[in-house]
Amino acid sequence: MTQRVKCAECDNMILPQTAADNDGLCAQCVKISPELRAENREYERQLAEGLVFTPSPAERANSKLPPELANGQWQLQPEYYAERNFESAMDAIIAAKTESGGNVFLVTDDGGQLNLGFTDRYGVCEYQNQDTGDFRYAYTKSNLREQAPEELHVVQACPCCGVGMLWYPSRYHMPRDRAFSLLENAVSGCESPGVEWLETDDFSYTEHGRG
Ligand SMILES: [Zn+2]
Ligand SMILES: [Zn+2]
C-alpha cells in the first residue's frame, strides 16, 4: 500500500504522485490561488491564537459615530415590513423583543441602514450607508471575547427579505438587551453611551460556531 502524505496546505492525505505533481498540494488546494491560500492561512493563525475574538488595532483606530445614529429619523425597512403591520420602528423593536431570535431592519431617508440580528442571548448591530461608504458594527466592553456558541451565533440577514447570508464574527456579539436598547436609543434620537462603531471588514471566513 502506498503511504499517503499530508497536503502542504490542508489536512487532506494525498498520494505521493499527486504531491509531486502539485507542489505538495491536494487536488482542491491546487485550484486556489496562492494569495487566497495565504489569506486563509493567516485567518487560521488568528483563529488559533484567539486574535479574531477582539477587534484589531485597525478596527479600533477607525471608530466613529455615524451622525445618523445620533440624529437620524429611523423608520421601518419598507420591503421587510411590507406585510407586517407595525405603526413605527419602536413597535417593531417591541415586538422583536418577545422573540427568541430574528431581526429588526431600520432605514433613514439618507441611505442609512441599521440592522439588528439577535438570538436568545446575543444581538449584533450593524450600521451601513452605501451613499457615504460607511459599514460599521457596534462594539462595547460587554461584547463577546470568546467563541459564540453555535446555537446562539447570530447570522447576518438580508435587510429586504431576512434571508441569512454570513455568520457574524463572535466579537460583533453583545448581550441582546444592550443591542435592543441601542436601537431604542437610535429611534428616540439619544446617544448610546459606551458604544464604539468600528468598521466591518471581510468576515466571510467566519463559520457557524467558528470564528
Ligand atoms: Zn489541500
Ligand atoms: Zn433580500
Side-chain angles (χ1 to χ4, degrees):
M1 198 182 102
T2 318
Q3 192 74 41
R4 288 180 173 246
V5 298
K6 197 170 122 12
C7 164
E9 199 72 61
C10 75
D11 290 332
N12 279 342
M13 296 304 286
I14 55 177
L15 295 169
Q17 190 56 53
T18 312
D21 291 346
N22 298 338
D23 248 346
L25 298 171
C26 72
Q28 276 91 58
C29 288
V30 77
K31 289 185 215 146
I32 307 168
S33 75
E35 292 76 21
L36 265 182
R37 276 190 276 121
E39 210 176 88
N40 192 26
R41 223 169 22 241
E42 174 58 15
Y43 177 75
E44 290 299 325
R45 181 188 72 83
Q46 293 188 9
L47 183 61
E49 293 178 12
L51 297 173
V52 300
F53 298 121
T54 49
S56 67
E59 278 182 303
R60 295 307 281 272
N62 284 315
S63 167
K64 191 188 100 186
L65 176 70
E68 286 190 306
L69 283 165
N71 56 31
Q73 298 289 317
W74 292 100
Q75 311 146 31
L76 299 167
Q77 206 284 352
E79 291 155 276
Y80 185 70
Y81 291 104
E83 283 163 24
R84 295 166 222 228
N85 292 318
F86 292 123
E87 293 285 321
S88 67
M90 197 57 95
D91 277 359
I93 296 171
I94 291 166
K97 275 171 132 175
T98 65
E99 289 163 25
S100 62
N103 296 94
V104 176
F105 296 117
L106 306 178
V107 295
T108 64
D109 286 335
D110 299 314
Q113 301 185 40
L114 187 55
N115 303 338
L116 165 70
F118 63 93
T119 57
D120 239 349
R121 203 179 306 160
Y122 301 114
V124 173
C125 298
E126 267 193 292
Y127 168 80
Q128 305 183 330
N129 192 316
Q130 308 266 8
D131 299 347
T132 61
D134 238 352
F135 296 87
R136 295 178 180 275
Y137 73 95
Y139 187 78
T140 68
K141 283 206 169 73
S142 45
N143 276 41
L144 259 187
R145 289 168 160 270
E146 57 193 20
Q147 180 61 58
E150 222 171 81
E151 68 280 11
L152 298 169
H153 203 160
V154 180
V155 72
Q156 185 191 45
C158 173
C160 83
C161 56
V163 167
M165 301 192 293
L166 294 170
W167 292 98
Y168 285 121
S170 297
R171 67 182 184 279
Y172 288 23
H173 293 58
M174 66 175 73
R176 71 174 253 159
D177 291 351
R178 187 92 202 252
F180 275 112
S181 77
L182 196 157
L183 256 71
E184 287 166 344
N185 286 341
V187 167
S188 318
C190 312
E191 261 188 58
S192 292
V195 179
E196 290 181 81
W197 288 91
L198 307 184
E199 268 179 38
T200 47
D201 54 8
D202 171 16
F203 55 86
S204 56
Y205 279 112
T206 310
E207 294 168 40
H208 193 190
R210 186 174 191 271

